[in-house]
Amino acid sequence: MAIGVLVLAAGSGSRLGASVPKAFVEVGGTTLLGYAVRAALSARNVGCVVVAAPADWVDAAIDVTEPLSRAYGIPVQVVPGGAERGDSVLAAVRWLPAECDLVLIHDAARAFATSALFDRVAAAVTADTPAVVPGEPVVDTIKTVDGNGFVVGTPNRALLRAVQTPQGFVRDVLLEAHAAYGSVATDDAGLVERLGRQVLVVAGESDAFKVTTPDDLARAHRLHPRDPSAP
Ligand code: C5P
């Protein structure tokens, strides 16, 4: 089974306060996009990667991905993303070759997710379990609140998972979910859930943390002071 990976990199990353879109921020000499695409290309059975980049940054994304595509011998297509994350998914998914019947969707913001995580997610996708997400147990106690901040519930922490990407899908089920429930989604698996199909959570990893705030970026710099494969 050929796997197609969508790398979503079209967000502005306004919460990071950087002068470039988040995927183009460098850590240890490599952009977040570069880390994410390299992990995708290192995973098993990947036949194609499609990157959704901000419309003005398509050429910059090609500069990042072309050497990686050549090094791994796997095509990487860069396309302009959309206004919302779900629009970027739809813009990218149509470029996947027909033989890629399994799709992994990955946020470039989770740049340090390992290829082992891609493999674990992909291996768990089946016809009966058409959506698989990595997730980690939650350490904080979580409260649900009303509009005034009053607590209305305390979910059982043992049953909660903080989910990450890459998320894996049978391609046809992903397309059906997006067609049925629209493009506005922060989590594609949530759309498959709404279709009434099974979504499985497999073990995530701390490396797959999302770079959102300046604190997250500081953590990334601490963990990756210098990318050993950067020129
Ligand atoms: O904004 P947030 O960090 O939740 O975005 C998650 C991922 O989705 C990021 O990697 C971002 O680049 C991507 N994204 C996108 N197109 C958008 C918005 C976000 O590809 N319109």
Side-chain angles (χ1 to χ4, degrees), residues 8-11 15 22-23 52 82-85 88 107-109 210-212:
L8 303 180
R15 286 168 290 182
K22 182 160 63 182
E84 304 288 342
R85 183 184 178 284
S88 296
D107 290 343
K210 186 167 157 193
V211 177
T212 304

Side-chain angles (χ1 to χ4, degrees), residues 15 18-20 48 62 95 99 107 126 143 158 197 208 210 212:
R15 286 168 290 182
S19 57
V20 295
C48 169
I62 291 171
W95 288 90
E99 68 265 22
D107 290 343
T126 66
K143 302 283 185 192
R197 304 294 302 266
K210 186 167 157 193
T212 304

